């Protein structure tokens, strides 16, 4: 089967001293949920930016769908627009023939999916971090692409909210069949969510771990803990 994303000998340098990524060979299959982990500055965001098309490689090649959606760390919402308007904007920009009413109905559908219907008319500053991040996810889903990219989407949230959003993300992933590539700084989060964990090391792909534990995964299970420990040992080189 053709991979939906294919990176070949991909590299990104900002200048002679600053190599963010080098020699990345990676294929991602349709419907996979891949988590990227690595130390700070290892090139994770650069990798996602290249898959999204925000940034371009300086070496190698990339094959990917023309349009991909991205969820950022802090929601990246427009502060002077309501929750509904933030989602409506992307729908409007994609489907220019829709009436204003049809756009609103469509936007509301995505807010509902993220349990945000009651907050449609609120502005970002009136919402909690978790709610803002839900809007960021609703907006990315509204872009209606096969590939969903997420750059540390839950790292600013408390544990209970994160667990809640993990459950919702898995549900969405199962229902939509989207391909998800998510950067995480947490091994536990990566083991909770993904099919495959890619460790970025020395600015290239260091290790790849397939995760075969059935969903939903429980942090207390022996299988889960042994997987986390295995990855931690490699990650921390112990
Ligand atoms: P991560 O997301 O893993 O923390 P990044 O992908 O943001 O890492 O950055 C990887 C490396 O590339 C870092 O050393 C960073 O300083 C460098 N870098 C990222 N963006 C730029 C830029 N626009 N100009 C110069 N260097 C950059
Ligand atoms: Mg980053």
């Amino acid at each position: 089967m053709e991979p939906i994303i294919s990176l070949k000998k991909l590299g990104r340098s900002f200048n002679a001293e600053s190599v963010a990524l080098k020699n990345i060979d990676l294929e991602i299959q349709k419907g996979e949920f891949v988590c990227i982990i690595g130390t700070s500055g290892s090139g994770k965001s650069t990798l996602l930016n290249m898959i999204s098309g925000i940034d371009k490689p300086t070496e190698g090649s990339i094959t990917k769908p023309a349009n991909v959606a991205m969820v950022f760390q802090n929601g990246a919402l427009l502060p002077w627009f309501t929750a509904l308007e933030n989602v409506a904007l992307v729908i409007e920009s994609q489907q220019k023939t829709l009436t204003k009413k049809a756009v609103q109905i469509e936007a509301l559908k995505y807010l509902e999916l993220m349990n945000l219907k009651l907050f449609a008319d609120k502005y970002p500053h009136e919402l909690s971090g978790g709610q803002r991040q839900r809007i960021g996810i609703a907006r990315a889903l509204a872009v209606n692409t096969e590939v969903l990219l997420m750059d540390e989407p839950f790292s600013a949230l408390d544990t209970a909210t994160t667990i809640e959003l993990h459950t919702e993300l898995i549900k969405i992933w199962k229902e939509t069949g989207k391909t998800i590539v998510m950067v995480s700084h947490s091994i536990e989060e990566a083991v909770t969510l993904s099919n495959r964990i890619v460790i970025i090391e020395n600015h290239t792909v260091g290790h790849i771990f397939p995760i075969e534990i059935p969903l939903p995964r429980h942090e207390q299970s022996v299988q889960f803990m042994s997987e986390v420990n295995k990855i931690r040992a490699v990650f921390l080189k112990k």
Side-chain angles (χ1 to χ4, degrees):
M1 205 171 66
E2 280 285 292
I4 189 163
I5 296 166
S6 169
L7 313 176
K8 291 201 175 77
K9 303 265 169 280
L10 189 94
R12 175 66 168 109
S13 315
F14 290 98
N15 53 54
E17 295 92 60
S18 176
V19 177
L21 288 174
K22 60 187 186 208
N23 214 12
I24 301 269
D25 281 314
L26 184 65
E27 288 190 340
I28 295 172
Q29 305 300 327
K30 192 169 157 48
E32 260 197 290
F33 193 144
V34 174
C35 272
I36 313 276
I37 59 179
T39 50
S40 176
S42 59
K44 305 179 297 295
S45 295
T46 305
L47 182 62
L48 231 53
N49 289 344
M50 284 193 290
I51 300 174
S52 76
I54 295 173
D55 194 7
K56 295 266 177 289
T58 47
E59 275 159 67
S61 67
I62 176 163
T63 314
K64 64 173 191 77
N67 293 311
V68 299
M70 178 93 123
V71 178
F72 298 93
Q73 188 170 347
N74 294 310
L77 304 175
L78 299 172
W80 53 90
F81 287 108
T82 64
L84 186 79
E85 287 163 347
N86 264 282
V87 179
L89 278 172
V90 303
I91 297 171
E92 238 162 32
S93 71
Q94 286 196 319
Q95 305 182 53
K96 298 195 193 310
T97 54
L98 288 185
T99 62
K100 198 169 166 58
K101 187 76 201 156
V103 169
Q104 290 205 337
I105 290 169
E106 185 77 0
L108 208 54
K109 194 180 87 186
Y110 288 101
L111 287 181
E112 212 169 349
L113 196 67
M114 293 308 297
N115 296 323
L116 278 170
K117 205 177 171 188
L118 298 174
F119 301 91
D121 295 327
K122 299 265 187 244
Y123 288 88
H125 75 268
E126 298 175 292
L127 299 168
S128 69
Q131 289 164 337
R132 281 199 291 272
Q133 205 52 316
R134 281 170 197 273
I135 301 172
I137 298 171
R139 186 179 56 182
L141 294 173
V143 182
N144 203 12
T145 55
E146 277 186 287
V147 174
L148 180 62
L149 306 177
M150 310 179 94
D151 195 353
E152 304 201 27
F154 309 127
S155 60
L157 306 178
D158 61 82
T159 312
T161 307
T162 302
I163 291 172
E164 219 176 276
L165 287 178
H166 281 169
T167 308
E168 274 164 35
L169 183 60
I170 289 176
K171 193 168 143 237
I172 286 165
W173 174 57
K174 281 186 172 167
E175 281 172 6
T176 61
K178 280 183 196 286
T179 308
I180 302 182
V181 185
M182 173 171 151
V183 171
S184 172
H185 66 266
S186 155
I187 296 172
E188 284 83 357
E189 174 169 88
V191 174
T192 300
L193 299 174
S194 67
N195 294 138
R196 204 148 60 109
I197 298 178
V198 176
I199 299 187
I200 304 291
E201 216 174 61
N202 300 321
H203 305 286
T204 193
V205 175
H207 299 266
I208 296 185
F209 292 95
I211 309 293
E212 279 154 8
I213 309 170
L215 292 165
R217 297 170 182 164
H218 304 287
E219 288 211 14
Q220 310 306 331
S221 80
V222 174
Q223 219 181 349
F224 189 100
M225 285 193 275
S226 104
E227 205 66 56
V228 167
N229 287 334
K230 193 169 82 189
I231 298 166
R232 188 171 287 145
V234 169
F235 193 56
L236 303 174
K237 296 199 183 52
K238 275 186 192 151

